[in-house]
């Protein structure tokens, strides 16, 4: 059996292992310095003032929506082509998602569709969650200006986009066009922490609210503290803390942050390799009639999280399931990103219908993500290329 080539994979080296072991031997396992260091490093990398790390970006999406004031009778606008968590965040807050169809070229939420949705929706759209799909940044300038028209918060889902750049050259996460941006450190994403997420923001108030929600809604010393309970003769009582609102335990451990921090040092190298692999795929596939690489116009902005091709399955007289089966026989594990959120039974029962998002549906019918990750060797990529060329060409 040849070695298996998955669609994505993390990369861990000895330095990463030592960083984790160092925490286990010498440091706090949680609520220690590594959390702050990881936060400060990501904030610096993307060019944001503040960063808050949490147990997952899904937890982060929940907190971000709460901070944005999302509640019952509110709507949260997002893309149907995303991981379910982007839309679930609305439901966590008793609100509902509203979906905007994607742009054919970027595969991201279409500002034209968003504009139309915003104009035709009487209910309050409290937040917009644009998703930088596969690492290609959304048209944030347009999305931001639409959001301002209707006074919506903007929460960027940058789970795929650590290291990506907007068209103006600034980094995704610098929050020039949003209130908050969130990243994921699940092993399949650009850097791994095991599980983990981070939100960046330039707003101090948002930053402090996130810190509090992350840890039970508890504060020991902030501007809202009950002064007479917290102090004796103007000296802070050492035992005192107070719960000011309903929060969670969405903390991340120092073990995870040590890994994340060590991985972050390698991110430039990770991104460069992904970019090279993408260029090689682009060149290899440019002459194939029934296969189209996606997001080609955004290559120099992307963090290259996924390499998604669109295939004319009717023309190749092979179904996607058959093609994936043929690839799997040769050890190549392709995947589909994503089944439209609106096609999941949970959302269908809420009345959503993917037929209302024709670009998303058409994309879904043709899409396939093929292997792309830092440690994919040239030999293995060549295997993928020749196999796909043989099957599709
Ligand atoms: C991975 C992912 C999430 C969820 O992140 P976790 O850290 O796994 O909770 C949300 N949105 C998108 C687009 C993702 O890819």
């Amino acid at each position: 059996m040849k070695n298996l080539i998955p669609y994505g994979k993390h990369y861990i080296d000895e330095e990463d292992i030592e960083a984790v072991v160092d925490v286990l031997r010498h440091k706090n396992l949680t609520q220690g310095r590594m959390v702050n260091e990881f936060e400060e490093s990501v904030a610096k990398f993307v060019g944001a003032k503040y960063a808050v790390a949490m147990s997952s970006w899904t937890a982060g999406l929940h907190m971000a929506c709460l901070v944005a004031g999302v509640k019952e009778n509110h709507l949260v606008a997002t893309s149907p082509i995303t991981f379910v968590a982007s839309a679930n965040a609305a439901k966590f807050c008793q609100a509902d998602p509203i979906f905007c169809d994607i742009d054919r070229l970027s595969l991201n939420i279409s500002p034209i569709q968003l504009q139309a949705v915003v104009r035709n929706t009487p209910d309050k759209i409290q937040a917009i969650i644009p998703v930088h799909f596969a690492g290609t940044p959304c048209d944030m300038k347009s999305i931001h200006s639409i959001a301002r028209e209707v006074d919506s918060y903007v929460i960027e889902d940058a789970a795929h986009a650590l290291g990506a750049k907007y068209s103006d050259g600034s980094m995704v996460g610098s929050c020039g066009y949003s209130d908050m941006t969130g990243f994921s450190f699940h092993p399949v994403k650009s850097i791994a922490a095991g599980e983990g997420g981070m939100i960046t923001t330039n707003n101090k108030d948002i930053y402090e609210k996130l810190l509090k929600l992350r840890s039970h809604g508890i504060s020991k010393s902030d501007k809202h503290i009950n002064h007479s309970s917290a102090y004796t003769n103007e000296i802070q009582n050492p035992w005192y803390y107070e719960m000011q609102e309903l929060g969670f335990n969405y903390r991340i451990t120092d073990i995870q942050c040590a890994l994340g921090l060590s991985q972050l040092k390698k991110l430039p190298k990770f991104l460069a390799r992904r970019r090279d692999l993408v260029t090689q795929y682009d060149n290899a596939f440019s002459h194939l009639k029934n296969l189209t690489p996606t997001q080609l116009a955004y290559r120099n902005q992307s963090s290259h999280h996924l390499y998604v091709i669109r295939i004319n399955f009717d023309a190749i007289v092979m179904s996607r399931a058959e093609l994936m089966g043929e690839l799997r026989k040769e050890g190549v594990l392709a995947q589909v990103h994503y089944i439209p959120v609106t096609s999941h039974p949970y959302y269908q029962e809420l009345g959503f219908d993917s037929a209302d998002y024709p670009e998303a549906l058409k994309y879904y019918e043709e899409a396939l993500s093929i292997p792309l990750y830092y440690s994919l060797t040239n030999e293995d990529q060549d295997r993928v290329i020749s196999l796909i060329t043989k099957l599709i060409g």
Side-chain angles (χ1 to χ4, degrees):
M1 184 69 190
K2 288 175 191 155
N3 60 316
L4 285 180
I5 310 178
Y7 83 85
K9 189 176 161 181
H10 62 274
Y11 173 80
I12 299 285
D13 65 9
E14 283 306 314
E15 214 177 29
D16 295 323
I17 293 166
E18 276 169 29
V20 171
V21 169
D22 185 54
V23 173
L24 294 174
R25 289 197 196 281
H26 303 295
K27 294 185 173 143
N28 289 336
L29 300 186
T30 191
Q31 293 177 285
R33 273 298 308 163
M34 297 315 292
V35 180
N36 299 315
E37 276 186 40
F38 188 33
E39 289 170 340
E40 282 161 19
S41 297
V42 171
K44 190 164 166 231
F45 178 75
V46 301
K49 279 194 189 146
Y50 308 102
V52 179
M54 66 282 303
S55 51
S56 71
W57 168 223
T58 302
L61 277 159
H62 184 193
M63 293 196 289
C65 284
L66 288 174
V67 170
V70 174
K71 56 180 199 286
E72 224 176 331
N73 300 322
H74 280 161
L75 295 172
V76 175
T78 192
S79 169
I81 298 297
T82 184
F83 183 55
V84 290
S86 320
N88 293 351
K91 300 301 293 180
F92 295 162
C93 303
Q94 287 73 50
D96 277 299
I98 183 166
F99 297 93
C100 308
D101 206 358
I102 59 169
D103 172 74
R104 195 169 46 83
L105 291 181
S106 70
L107 305 179
N108 286 327
I109 196 166
S110 153
I112 297 163
Q113 295 296 326
L114 179 64
Q115 181 71 263
V117 162
V118 157
R119 294 235 162 105
N120 298 327
T121 307
D123 293 331
K124 175 68 187 171
I125 298 177
Q126 184 68 15
I128 299 168
I129 304 183
V131 182
H132 306 305
F133 177 72
T136 288
C138 296
D139 177 356
M140 288 310 300
K141 223 172 173 166
S142 303
I143 292 168
H144 182 237
S145 77
I146 295 165
R148 285 180 65 158
E149 261 178 56
V150 287
D151 203 18
S152 302
Y153 279 78
V154 179
I155 301 163
E156 294 172 70
D157 185 336
H160 300 178
L162 184 61
K165 290 179 176 142
Y166 304 111
S167 52
D168 70 4
S170 61
M171 296 289 289
V172 168
S174 54
C175 295
Y177 307 102
S178 67
D179 300 283
M180 291 167 260
T181 302
F183 300 99
S184 169
F185 309 120
H186 181 278
V188 90
K189 310 293 164 72
S190 48
I191 61 170
E195 295 278 359
M198 188 142 5
I199 296 177
T200 58
T201 182
N202 294 324
N203 182 312
K204 187 154 188 263
D205 196 41
I206 289 176
Y207 170 64
E208 286 173 350
K209 284 178 175 164
L210 289 169
L211 287 180
K212 203 183 290 180
L213 282 174
R214 178 174 70 177
S215 202
H216 309 282
I218 282 174
S219 176
K220 286 183 177 167
S221 59
D222 74 359
K223 57 180 187 271
H224 306 291
I225 207 121
N226 181 333
H227 201 270
S228 64
S229 307
Y231 290 83
T232 306
N233 299 329
E234 293 306 312
I235 296 168
Q236 199 172 345
N237 294 324
W239 71 87
Y240 190 76
Y241 63 88
E242 64 186 30
M243 183 186 140
Q244 300 172 340
E245 63 183 306
L246 189 61
F248 312 92
N249 180 353
Y250 280 167
R251 293 187 304 258
I252 188 170
T253 66
D254 285 56
I255 306 165
Q256 292 164 296
C257 288
L259 180 54
L261 198 53
S262 175
Q263 289 260 298
L264 186 64
K265 292 187 193 138
K266 288 183 272 282
L267 181 58
K269 177 170 97 170
F270 289 174
L271 292 167
R273 176 61 181 160
R274 282 175 177 272
R275 194 190 175 99
D276 286 347
L277 291 164
V278 165
T279 304
Q280 282 161 162
Y281 275 139
D282 286 348
N283 292 337
F285 296 145
S286 63
H287 65 285
L288 292 183
K289 196 160 91 285
N290 296 317
L291 179 161
T292 320
T294 59
Q295 301 180 318
L296 276 171
Y298 303 89
R299 289 290 186 249
N300 57 8
Q301 286 177 251
S302 181
S303 53
H304 310 296
H305 172 57
L306 299 170
Y307 194 88
V308 182
I309 53 178
R310 293 178 74 151
I311 298 164
N312 185 341
F313 288 104
D314 291 337
I316 66 168
V317 206
M318 194 191 291
S319 70
R320 181 163 52 194
E322 284 163 345
L323 178 65
M324 288 177 78
E326 289 302 314
L327 291 170
R328 179 176 260 279
K329 270 189 213 157
E330 297 296 321
V332 175
L333 309 178
Q335 186 49 284
V336 177
H337 298 91
Y338 290 96
I339 300 165
V341 177
T342 43
S343 292
H344 287 288
Y346 176 81
Y347 284 103
Q348 283 184 331
E349 276 164 35
L350 291 171
F352 293 101
D353 181 352
S354 293
D356 294 335
Y357 317 97
E359 286 294 346
L361 198 54
K362 188 163 190 315
Y363 160 78
Y364 168 60
E365 282 161 0
E366 299 174 353
L368 194 70
S369 304
I370 62 171
L372 180 64
Y373 49 91
Y374 172 73
S375 59
L376 180 64
T377 62
N378 289 339
E379 295 72 51
D380 281 351
Q381 186 183 32
D382 288 344
R383 245 173 77 199
V384 176
I385 289 170
S386 55
L387 196 56
I388 288 177
T389 307
K390 191 182 83 191
L391 291 164
I392 295 175

